[in-house]
Amino acid sequence: EKGYGTGEHAPGLKLGGCGAYKAAHHIIKTHAKVWHSYNNTWRSEQQGMVGISLTSAWSEPVDPHSQTDRDAAERYIQFHLGWFANPIYKGDYPEVMKNYVGKPHAQQGLGTSRLPTFSVQEKTYIKGTSDFLGIGHFTTRYVLQKSFPFLQVPSYHTDSDLAELVDPKWPAPGPKWLYSVPWGFRRLLNFIKTQYGNPLIYVTENGVSEKVQCTQLCDEWRIEYLKGYINEILKALNDGVNVRGYTAWSLLDKFEWNKGFSERFGFYHIDFKNKNKPRYPKASVDYYRKIISANGFPNSREVMS
């Protein structure tokens, strides 16, 4: 969406309401081709796995008793995670995406939706092309119904007819989009379990960056974030979710999209102004090292049910 819709990220194309859907369509078909290539040529010899890694926040209805808010929260997750996961696990885009992206066209008397369609052969070819699901997850949003003006140019951003809110009480240690809401992760993992037949999951990204560089490298907010989110993964395991592994984001401070080196997610602080780029461990290094050594929380009293 940012690369082919708004142009904020590389390759910087501003293709409006069609670009992101076309790009995603090609990604999904290409992913399936790679999976089949491996499956047919190398799997018997190597016994490897091919999956896809998708990043999604969790969406919670503002009013859980409101059907419109519950529907909006469902649309959010389908427009983010379901956009790619649904074709791979079920063979086609989510029905709600087909309905909402096609809706402006129906209203304007246009024949075809901006959301491309898969042929019957493509649906069969794509379905089941993932040996595991990689999940990147950072934060949660409250969601409610919001209708955009009829005359507004349609885009991926407006197609889902919803607005996102945050709770001001949520900790926000990092950038303005990243609020610490650990309970959302457990709900997301359980949604995946229910929606896609409890696939094998690897958490491929989870972490937090810092707003202000701490000269003492005392990132206690990162420690709290990790404790909360890893705790929720352990709860999800107890729920029967098939999580096999966890990867924190990230080992080192590094280049982050259009934020460059200003957004620091690393366990290790990098001095980018020094030509040798020396690395300094933050406080979270020691905490995370203990978690790795114990394959969980070293002190069982840290874990809250």
Side-chain angles (χ1 to χ4, degrees):
E1 190 257 337
K2 287 186 168 69
Y4 294 87
T6 63
E8 291 172 64
H9 289 175
L13 301 179
K14 298 179 182 179
L15 302 176
C18 295
Y21 296 126
K22 283 183 180 176
H25 201 67
H26 290 307
I27 287 169
I28 293 162
K29 291 202 290 185
T30 307
H31 162 80
K33 190 162 189 177
V34 170
W35 186 92
H36 281 287
S37 174
Y38 185 84
N39 195 53
N40 295 334
T41 310
W42 294 289
R43 188 189 297 276
S44 59
E45 180 186 338
Q46 297 179 348
Q47 299 298 306
M49 292 197 300
V50 178
I52 193 165
S53 185
L54 305 175
T55 300
S56 180
W58 174 245
S59 53
E60 191 75 12
V62 168
D63 179 0
H65 304 293
S66 161
Q67 187 62 50
T68 56
D69 284 5
R70 291 203 303 270
D71 290 346
E74 172 75 14
R75 282 200 304 282
Y76 179 98
I77 206 78
Q78 295 295 355
F79 265 79
H80 287 79
L81 181 66
W83 185 6
F84 294 87
N86 223 72
I88 288 167
Y89 285 95
K90 298 186 174 184
D92 200 3
Y93 291 119
E95 284 300 315
V96 72
M97 278 193 83
K98 292 195 279 188
N99 293 339
Y100 272 72
V101 180
K103 187 173 62 174
H105 281 254
Q107 289 170 343
Q108 293 159 10
L110 301 173
T112 56
S113 170
R114 286 174 290 111
L115 184 69
T117 55
F118 295 113
S119 69
V120 174
Q121 291 85 352
E122 285 172 339
K123 289 177 184 178
T124 305
Y125 187 73
I126 292 164
K127 186 177 179 181
T129 55
S130 204
D131 304 317
F132 67 88
L133 179 60
I135 285 294
H137 175 75
F138 295 89
T139 194
T140 285
R141 292 287 184 269
Y142 280 120
V143 173
L144 74 165
Q145 164 81 26
K146 178 185 179 182
S147 297
F148 290 87
F150 176 67
L151 295 174
Q152 185 166 340
V153 177
S155 68
Y156 170 77
H157 179 66
T158 59
D159 282 336
S160 50
D161 279 1
L162 56 84
E164 300 173 35
L165 302 172
V166 297
D167 186 333
K169 296 198 253 333
W170 289 345
K176 60 184 180 181
W177 61 270
L178 209 171
Y179 291 79
S180 179
V181 196
W183 53 261
F185 203 2
R186 183 184 185 183
R187 296 186 187 192
L188 175 66
L189 291 169
N190 272 282
F191 174 88
I192 292 166
K193 174 192 169 190
T194 305
Q195 195 85 357
Y196 306 122
N198 203 14
L200 173 62
I201 295 172
Y202 287 94
V203 177
T204 44
E205 289 185 40
N206 174 243
V208 65
S209 63
E210 52 235 52
K211 280 178 185 167
V212 182
Q213 185 182 324
C214 183
T215 51
Q216 289 80 36
L217 306 176
C218 48
D219 58 344
E220 64 282 341
W221 62 86
R222 183 173 284 110
I223 291 171
E224 286 303 309
Y225 180 97
L226 290 167
K227 183 191 291 185
Y229 276 76
I230 292 171
N231 192 10
E232 293 298 318
I233 297 169
L234 294 173
K235 291 179 192 176
L237 274 169
N238 287 334
D239 297 334
V241 178
N242 192 11
V243 184
R244 183 73 57 83
Y246 173 84
T247 313
W249 191 264
S250 58
L251 180 67
L252 310 171
D253 289 337
K254 49 167 199 51
F255 196 85
E256 285 286 339
W257 300 90
N258 56 344
K259 302 297 183 198
F261 296 112
S262 66
E263 205 159 287
R264 294 174 177 267
F265 276 86
F267 286 122
Y268 284 83
H269 172 82
I270 310 296
D271 183 357
F272 292 112
K273 295 192 174 87
N274 185 315
K275 68 173 184 172
N276 294 322
K277 308 289 187 292
R279 306 167 180 185
Y280 304 99
K282 302 174 188 177
S284 54
V285 166
D286 190 51
Y287 181 76
Y288 191 56
R289 183 185 289 126
K290 288 173 182 171
I291 288 177
I292 292 170
S293 299
N295 194 29
F297 290 108
N299 182 352
S300 59
R301 285 176 296 178
E302 278 192 89
V303 185
M304 293 175 289
S305 58

